[in-house]
Amino acid sequence: MNQYMPKYLKTKNRMMIFDLFRNQNIMSRAELVRITGISFPTVLKIVDKLLELGILIELEETTQSPGAGRRGHLLRFNPRAYYAIGLEFEGQIVHMGLVDMLGTCQYCRSIHLPVQNHTLELSKLTREISKLMALAAGEQIPVLGIGIGFPAMVNPQTNSIIHMSYMNIDHEVTFAEAFPEFTAALPVPFFLDNDVNFACLGEAFLRRRCPEYQNLVYFTLGTGCGVSYMMNGELWYGATHKSGEIGNMPVTSFQIPGADVPEPKPFEQLINLEAIYQRFQINLQQNPGFPETMRDEIINYLCPYLSYTLTNLTYLLDIQHCVLTGIIPLALGDPLLQRIQEAIRTTLVHNTLQIEPSISRDTGIIGAAVTVFNKRLEVLFEE
């Protein structure tokens, strides 16, 4: 224990100062001492480590130190000291890009993956990753790792898939066992999590200057639906890493009062792309332009399901911010969010909930990259 604590505190102090620079950009050593309460000698050692890693750059510009001491040089955060690759799976589409330490996505692209025997063929993805690695090498920026947002129940602690009906996985297998050739070809470490969890993490990271977004529900609706919940800046995984599988929640479809109550269905089967197609004969993914009258009909259909569900989540979790995104909300636009907001105002008595669009379409990629930085920098800071 005595050996563990100093090492743990050293890493945490380094991560604290790293986060400060990532948010403030330019600071002095004296400011770090004042803000963190860490001793000046310890701050000097941490700054030397960050300078060694290229995360900080010492400027010629100086600032006056407290008292009669000599003027100290300012230090600037270098967001492109390292890259991470973020991957976000969405059905057979994978969105990907190089991300710097401020969450800026470079060289973003999307590719379509073929399917063979209920399994995604990832050889094309391997080639695209090699291209991103080459771009980073051309800029002489090391890539720390790859974050993979996968649409399944995932145990991020073991990089494992717990359940994925599409691939007939009903017991925990590692991602390396599911995709051995792909993972063997990866040139850097990878980190796996559910795609919605990474998107929620990316959303909170991009809104990190607003503390209220450290408590957030991220709701995505498309081919399926999923929820991720962030509480006090930490993702909530549940006892068995199955939190957020709201699409499996049994729900009874809305009927005329007095009619027989139908058998409940999984929630996503009532509101996903297939449900919209079966009811309205329109594919929202392939037909972004459609008559306003049809938009209103689809919104009228979806609104009760979504507003009541979000109302119940608000009473359960005491949340104030919900990001609603995905193929369907993006296709229907602000009118859907406004209708849900109006409906929630009439059902929430003692609480408030703000329904908002995502701040970026790259939050899944960014969240995957942020996880890479958090995991890999802790290792580098321990050295």
Side-chain angles (χ1 to χ4, degrees):
M1 184 68 176
N2 291 336
Q3 292 180 343
Y4 168 76
M5 283 304 294
K7 184 177 180 181
Y8 171 81
L9 290 175
K10 180 177 72 173
T11 301
K12 289 302 176 185
N13 285 340
R14 289 176 173 180
M15 286 300 296
M16 181 196 307
I17 289 180
F18 168 80
D19 286 334
L20 276 172
F21 271 105
R22 184 160 58 180
N23 290 332
Q24 301 295 329
N25 189 35
I26 295 178
M27 301 181 73
S28 68
R29 292 169 176 84
E31 285 179 298
L32 291 172
V33 173
R34 186 177 69 254
I35 292 172
T36 65
I38 301 173
S39 69
F40 196 77
T42 301
V43 165
L44 290 180
K45 290 179 182 178
I46 294 174
V47 166
D48 286 345
K49 182 65 176 180
L50 296 179
L51 287 168
E52 173 192 330
L53 293 171
I55 293 172
L56 296 182
I57 298 172
E58 191 152 22
L59 304 177
E60 291 297 323
E61 185 181 353
T62 60
T63 183
Q64 181 65 52
S65 299
R70 63 186 176 88
R71 298 174 71 88
H73 285 272
L74 290 173
L75 302 156
R76 189 184 74 219
F77 183 66
N78 177 19
R80 300 184 71 181
Y82 298 98
Y83 275 145
I85 293 176
L87 306 179
E88 180 186 25
F89 283 74
E90 186 178 18
Q92 291 180 243
I93 306 296
V94 177
H95 310 289
M96 59 194 304
L98 283 172
V99 182
D100 69 20
M101 291 190 294
L102 281 180
T104 303
C105 193
Q106 313 277 347
Y107 311 113
C108 291
R109 61 193 64 179
S110 299
I111 62 171
H112 183 273
L113 298 177
V115 176
Q116 292 183 356
N117 300 321
H118 297 284
T119 301
L120 291 169
E121 172 53 52
L122 301 185
S123 58
K124 185 178 179 181
L125 182 56
T126 304
R127 293 192 294 272
E128 292 299 323
I129 290 173
S130 296
K131 292 178 184 178
L132 291 177
M133 293 292 297
L135 288 168
E139 298 181 23
Q140 297 184 321
I141 300 177
V143 176
L144 288 183
I146 300 171
I148 303 174
F150 203 66
M153 296 181 189
V154 168
N155 182 345
Q157 296 178 350
T158 57
N159 276 345
S160 299
I161 301 171
I162 298 173
H163 177 80
M164 187 179 185
S165 56
Y166 178 77
M167 291 180 58
N168 296 322
I169 296 176
D170 56 7
H171 63 283
E172 186 166 346
V173 297
T174 66
F175 195 73
E177 291 172 329
F179 300 101
E181 294 182 6
F182 171 71
T183 53
L186 295 179
V188 289
F190 73 92
F191 302 89
L192 185 73
D193 206 335
N194 174 267
D195 56 329
V196 185
N197 284 341
F198 272 160
C200 182
L201 184 63
E203 189 79 33
F205 177 80
L206 293 176
R207 298 177 185 262
R208 64 191 181 279
R209 296 184 187 278
C210 301
E212 63 268 25
Y213 287 96
Q214 296 304 295
N215 293 282
L216 175 70
V217 163
Y218 190 97
F219 192 120
T220 181
L221 177 59
T223 54
C225 69
V227 165
S228 181
Y229 175 45
M230 176 168 283
M231 179 171 57
N232 299 326
E234 299 289 336
L235 292 175
W236 175 257
Y237 286 96
T240 59
H241 299 94
K242 297 173 185 174
S243 173
E245 293 296 323
I246 199 169
N248 295 322
M249 180 175 66
V251 173
T252 299
S253 60
F254 289 95
Q255 298 290 319
I256 299 173
D260 293 337
V261 177
E263 287 293 318
K265 293 182 179 180
F267 188 39
E268 69 179 24
Q269 291 184 16
L270 295 168
I271 60 172
N272 66 3
L273 282 170
E274 179 62 23
I276 299 299
Y277 178 77
Q278 292 296 332
R279 190 175 186 89
F280 299 98
Q281 298 300 301
I282 185 169
N283 187 325
L284 293 181
Q285 190 170 19
Q286 298 177 359
N287 296 281
F290 46 89
E292 285 297 318
T293 53
M294 179 168 288
R295 182 193 305 271
D296 291 341
E297 289 178 12
I298 298 173
I299 290 174
N300 288 338
Y301 170 74
L302 291 175
C303 187
Y305 291 112
L306 295 174
S307 61
Y308 290 150
T309 299
L310 291 173
T311 296
N312 290 334
L313 283 176
T314 303
Y315 280 125
L316 179 66
L317 302 174
D318 189 24
I319 54 173
Q320 292 186 320
H321 295 278
C322 172
V323 169
L324 179 59
T325 187
I327 297 170
I328 293 175
L330 288 173
L332 297 175
D334 288 341
L336 173 65
L337 274 62
Q338 292 166 1
R339 280 289 307 279
I340 295 172
Q341 188 72 75
E342 292 168 3
I344 287 175
R345 287 197 185 102
T346 65
T347 54
L348 278 177
V349 180
H350 303 294
N351 303 64
T352 58
L353 178 65
Q354 185 67 37
I355 308 297
E356 304 168 60
S358 177
I359 198 170
S360 166
R361 293 200 177 193
D362 297 327
T363 52
I365 298 173
I366 293 166
V370 167
T371 295
V372 172
F373 291 132
N374 290 342
K375 300 284 189 181
R376 295 286 289 130
L377 286 175
E378 283 193 358
V379 175
L380 291 178
F381 290 166
E382 289 176 358
E383 296 175 355

